[in-house]
Amino acid sequence: MAHEHYSAFIKEAFVAPIRSVLIVDDDYPTFDEMLDREIAKQKGEDEPENGKRWRAKPERVKNVIANFRRADRSLLVDIHDGSNVDAKGDKKVASHLHQSDLLVLDYELDKTKKGDGSRAIEILRGLISNDHFNLVVVHTIEKLDIVFEEILIGLLTPSGDTLTEDEQHQIEEMIAEREDAVPDIDADLRDSIGRAQYIHSRLFEKTYQRTMGQGFQPYSGFSEIAKAAGWDNGSQKLLLRHLLIQAELPLIEKLSAVDTGFLRISQGAIKWIKSDSVFIAFSDKQIEDDPISALEEALDDWNPAPSRLFLAKLRAVMDEHGVVAQTEALERHYALAQWYERLLRANGNERRSKIAESVARQSDQLMTIILPQVEKFAKALVETEATKSRKSIEDLCNHHFGVDLSKPQSRKRAEREHNAFVCSTKPFGWHLSTGHIFSLADEYWVCLSPACDLVPGQGDVKNAAFGKRIPFMAVKLYDLGNGDVRDVNSNLFIFLDIDNNVRAFSFNSQSKEGTAPTWRLFYAESNGHLTDDFRFKLSVAEKGKRRLLFARHEVQIVAQLRYEYALNLLHKLGSSMTRIGLDFV
């Protein structure tokens, strides 16, 4: 749960930007319904009857809507009764969701199926499958614990875990040997692993077996049975997998066919579920007329890290002030006219390159105008945390990020991740460029030719002798792995995140100034064009039995240096190649 001073920033970043609300509830009146009633009255016909429960207590619906339209909110409210939401979802509702900042969703959208939430779950699956971040409050009269569990199961995908015949045979032997002492052992084991254990294992796939091995909940019952049987750790893990597979079988029809990604859930009384693109809070209709209050409580319980608040604030400022900032960014008409002239005069790949350059420049202008407001928010948050929190700085970081910087190993990893972030990034672009790092025969090389020499089509006259090949220089990087790096600011080292593992590399073999780097001349095939997964083909001279041979390889770009770091290595390579061998004694 977030402290009061921190809760204000959570509210500013996530709740204050809400401008519109879509209510999807089969018990709410819609505009179409109210108009149909008036039309029927004018024609002297009987009012259409749809059995909605709001008529019995219209004050409750009015209170909910009134809470959205308070003076401090004044939200735009739309209502959909969910009546035509089928198993594939409603396209009209889907389009509304992208235009609404908050979805208030009833769990039971089909009156013919008491307690059934399949339609609501289908809508949530649709939200999770898109990239737009959505805030959702499930507002229901059903018991929140049941609704929470049903929605969570509905958002999980099948585990896909299976056992081999040998593993199945081993399990059968284990149970058969224990049946002499405990005749009901099979039933006891099945009773010890049910929904709660299955859900836990799916949400904590990397740690659930360790939790079981330590005898902690929710596996304490199973652990007692296994301990009494004398099964070793490996046998326990195998049997647990078997029981979890069995526990999944009755849930298969409820699980999602859509990949919902990594899910996080609340651990306490306040219920919430979070995916990459959706945050779901839960609110009881019978006691709560203000779903936004339930949303605020759930967001506080989630306690998003400060860095997430910074980015949420950036999105909010962009939405609210983006148009004004855009107008200001477009005031330099002469420069913009010249940029556009260059785009029109360029052809083919040259045009593609200049478009990327122009878009990047205009984006920089826009962000320069937007960022001061985000910086103001960040400054207020950091200063408030520093002055009002009773925790130490290390404890605050541990609280927000789960990282204890007082431990040397955690500190080392934090520093390495920082170093990798500031000097490198994921690869981007459509052609080979300065700073691209590629793997070749278990070695890593960094492209250090000037960027202007690598643009396809730009050096056609100069490179005519090579056909559709661009010559480029690359320097071999020496992998230092996870070892300690001394004199890290010596301009000899870079840090790369490869396969989620931060590794240090040296610019030369001895990690010392004065040692020449290992460089080679390569030829990028197809003018250095990259595939969608950042691969390209190159040719390089290699030693044959009697003469040099040109070999062709397909290589993978694994990372990219930020430009200032690539430029630094480019200068070091130039210095190495232009050094003078003096005969001083």
Side-chain angles (χ1 to χ4, degrees), residues 35-79:
L35 290 171
D36 286 341
R37 290 180 61 190
E38 291 303 316
I39 291 171
K41 284 182 180 180
Q42 291 179 9
K43 291 182 178 180
E45 299 172 355
D46 293 334
E47 295 182 16
E49 181 59 47
N50 52 25
K52 290 188 176 182
R53 289 176 288 202
W54 72 269
R55 295 169 184 261
K57 292 183 178 180
E59 296 85 3
R60 185 182 62 81
V61 174
K62 184 178 180 181
N63 288 340
V64 172
I65 296 175
N67 276 317
F68 289 134
R69 292 176 173 168
R70 287 178 358 199
D72 59 335
R73 290 177 182 162
S74 301
L75 305 181
L76 179 65
V77 181
D78 194 7
I79 297 172

Side-chain angles (χ1 to χ4, degrees), residues 97-160:
L97 298 178
H98 291 288
Q99 301 165 20
S100 303
D101 300 320
L102 173 64
L103 171 64
V104 177
L105 180 64
D106 183 34
Y107 178 70
E108 184 189 306
L109 292 175
D110 187 350
K111 285 185 170 57
T112 64
K113 299 178 181 178
K114 177 65 177 174
D116 179 76
S118 57
R119 288 182 174 178
I121 291 171
E122 194 65 41
I123 290 175
L124 292 172
R125 288 172 181 165
L127 288 176
I128 286 179
S129 64
N130 68 58
D131 295 330
H132 183 79
F133 185 74
N134 296 273
L135 294 172
V136 181
V137 178
V138 176
H139 200 42
T140 179
I141 60 172
E142 307 296 328
K143 291 185 178 180
L144 294 187
D145 288 343
I146 296 175
V147 172
F148 171 78
E149 188 174 276
E150 287 294 316
I151 288 179
L152 178 56
I153 291 172
L155 297 181
L156 292 172
T157 52
S159 66

